[in-house]
Amino acid sequence: MSHPVTKFRDLRVLERVATGSFKFVRGESEMAGVKMRPTPKKAVRVKAEMAKLTDQLARRVRDLEAAAMNERLARKLYINSIAKQALGSDALVRKFMSRKHPVLKATPESRLDTEWGAREVEDLLFGMMHGLPA
């Protein structure tokens, strides 16, 4: 048995519903499985629900972006504390973090965007602290 929304006409009907154009040609509503015609009140309710869902999605995206920024800040503070132990002064830490390193093939600062990159910088700093070539 095929999916109920496989006919071209059914797709046209659903496209109209999705875009908010609720004007069905006579008989199309029954073909799409819609039992009654949408009323203006129902259209307003559907649009309000869509706006609510859009707001919820935007809020979730903002929360995820904030969490990612917080994680990056935590990684930066952690790596800066290790770099301070390994290098000794804030000036050397700033210099180290802002210059491209041949092992990382980028600046240590730019590698802190991901957890993997932060671990690479951390390994490099621990190696420097223990006298390994960097």
Side-chain angles (χ1 to χ4, degrees):
M1 183 173 163
S2 67
H3 191 273
V5 186
T6 54
K7 296 180 183 175
F8 180 69
R9 253 187 251 145
D10 293 345
L11 294 174
R12 276 196 338 234
V13 170
L14 289 177
E15 185 176 294
R16 284 189 202 150
V17 170
T19 58
S21 153
F22 287 101
K23 297 174 185 164
F24 289 106
V25 176
R26 183 181 180 109
E28 281 186 345
S29 61
E30 289 81 18
M31 287 188 310
V34 178
K35 298 297 182 196
M36 61 182 167
R37 289 185 159 205
T39 62
K41 284 183 182 180
K42 189 172 185 178
V44 168
R45 190 172 66 237
V46 167
K47 286 182 181 181
E49 288 176 16
M50 292 288 285
K52 181 180 175 184
L53 290 173
T54 303
D55 290 343
Q56 288 175 352
L57 180 62
R59 191 175 325 115
R60 286 182 183 168
V61 167
R62 280 193 307 268
D63 291 346
L64 287 173
E65 287 173 349
M69 288 179 66
N70 287 338
E71 286 178 9
R72 186 180 192 290
L73 179 62
R75 283 193 294 266
K76 185 174 180 177
L77 290 173
Y78 174 69
I79 294 297
N80 277 346
S81 69
I82 294 172
K84 173 89 181 206
Q85 291 173 3
L87 301 172
S89 71
D90 289 333
L92 289 175
V93 169
R94 282 192 299 275
K95 192 174 181 182
F96 171 76
M97 294 299 281
S98 63
R99 292 199 176 158
K100 187 175 177 179
H101 196 279
V103 172
L104 301 172
K105 298 183 178 90
T107 63
E109 179 83 31
S110 68
R111 303 294 288 163
L112 299 181
D113 289 337
T114 63
E115 187 69 28
W116 182 267
R119 293 301 147 236
E120 288 178 338
V121 176
E122 180 185 27
D123 290 343
L124 179 68
L125 288 168
F126 280 136
M128 291 167 65
M129 283 172 57
H130 296 289
L132 297 174

